[in-house]
Amino acid sequence: MPAAAPAGLRQGKRLPDLRQFTTDATFLPELELQQQRTGQLIDERRQAFKARTGQEMSRDNVWLAGRLQEHDALGRVILKIE
């Protein structure tokens, strides 16, 4: 028998909207670092893919598309709080 779901996940309970968050300029260094590291990860994985397959990783690759979205979203947040 499966374990009971945590209280916040039981049927009938509304979870908070996790798409909403706040940030300010005090988080700018961490956001910039996160964006830089995401960019580095993208570059490393693209290079590894090319070394393994001999082809460039296409922009419609599911993993790459997700990381590019994250990188772009961080850029938009950084622009808003600068």
Side-chain angles (χ1 to χ4, degrees):
M1 175 167 249
L9 298 178
R10 292 192 184 122
Q11 188 173 359
K13 299 281 184 178
R14 183 166 192 270
L15 295 176
D17 187 352
L18 300 178
R19 294 175 297 164
Q20 297 177 359
F21 68 95
T22 59
T23 191
D24 61 27
T26 60
F27 293 98
L28 188 58
E30 177 60 31
L31 293 167
E32 290 171 334
L33 182 60
Q34 187 176 352
Q35 186 186 37
Q36 176 188 0
R37 288 182 176 168
T38 302
Q40 289 172 341
L41 178 62
I42 290 168
D43 292 342
E44 290 169 6
R45 296 295 189 244
R46 283 177 143 171
Q47 290 171 9
F49 184 87
K50 186 171 184 175
R52 190 174 63 250
T53 67
Q55 299 177 354
E56 297 287 338
M57 185 184 290
S58 67
R59 291 184 68 83
D60 64 348
N61 175 284
V62 173
W63 180 88
L64 180 57
R67 300 306 71 76
L68 290 172
Q69 285 179 338
E70 291 171 8
H71 190 268
D72 293 345
L74 284 164
R76 289 190 303 275
V77 170
I78 290 167
L79 282 174
K80 289 282 186 183
I81 62 175
E82 282 186 319

